[in-house]
Amino acid sequence: MSTASYFDFGSDQLRPESTPVLSEIAGVLANNADWKLTINGHTDNIGGDSPNLELSRRRIESVRRALVEQYHINAARLITAGFGASQPKESNATADGRGKNRRVELVRQ
């Protein structure tokens, strides 16, 4: 399982289109009580390494908090890792590519 939630530039606020994805993930976790997820946070390359790493961690926390508070997923099932801009999915040379790099990915353990 690997899905992504995207964010606006410099923001850790989940965009509205994340709601169906999070709901689906919560449903899968509810049906598979032994599953754990790693929540990986990423940013584009605008800004320095330290601010981007911190932003990726705040994005992780937004997703983790939504799963725990809104969908009642046990926090112990959610492992987190922030990567800043170190693992781009697309080229940072375009606005579209940078937009796709501002993401959180959830990966089954």
Side-chain angles (χ1 to χ4, degrees), residues 64-87:
R64 190 200 64 77
R65 187 173 42 250
L67 288 170
V68 170
E69 294 176 3
Q70 296 172 9
Y71 299 99
H72 311 290
I73 301 299
N74 184 335
R77 297 175 66 192
L78 306 171
I79 300 155
T80 61
F83 295 99
S86 68
Q87 297 181 0

Side-chain angles (χ1 to χ4, degrees), residues 43-46 90-102:
T43 65
D44 61 28
N45 69 343
I46 306 298
E90 300 286 336
S91 170
N92 278 302
T94 67
D96 184 57
R98 288 188 299 274
K100 290 178 179 167
N101 290 332
R102 294 188 294 268

Side-chain angles (χ1 to χ4, degrees), residues 45-66:
N45 69 343
I46 306 298
D49 289 341
S50 181
N52 279 335
L53 186 57
E54 177 57 30
L55 178 58
S56 70
R57 290 176 178 156
R58 291 195 328 261
R59 288 177 174 166
I60 293 165
E61 181 56 25
S62 292
V63 172
R64 190 200 64 77
R65 187 173 42 250

Side-chain angles (χ1 to χ4, degrees), residues 28 37 42 75 80 97:
V28 170
L37 293 182
H42 305 275
T80 61

Side-chain angles (χ1 to χ4, degrees), residues 5-6 9 12 19-21 32 37 46 58 65 71 78 88 104 107:
S5 298
Y6 295 99
F9 177 76
D12 61 1
T19 300
V21 173
N32 297 280
L37 293 182
I46 306 298
R58 291 195 328 261
R65 187 173 42 250
Y71 299 99
L78 306 171
V104 168
V107 182

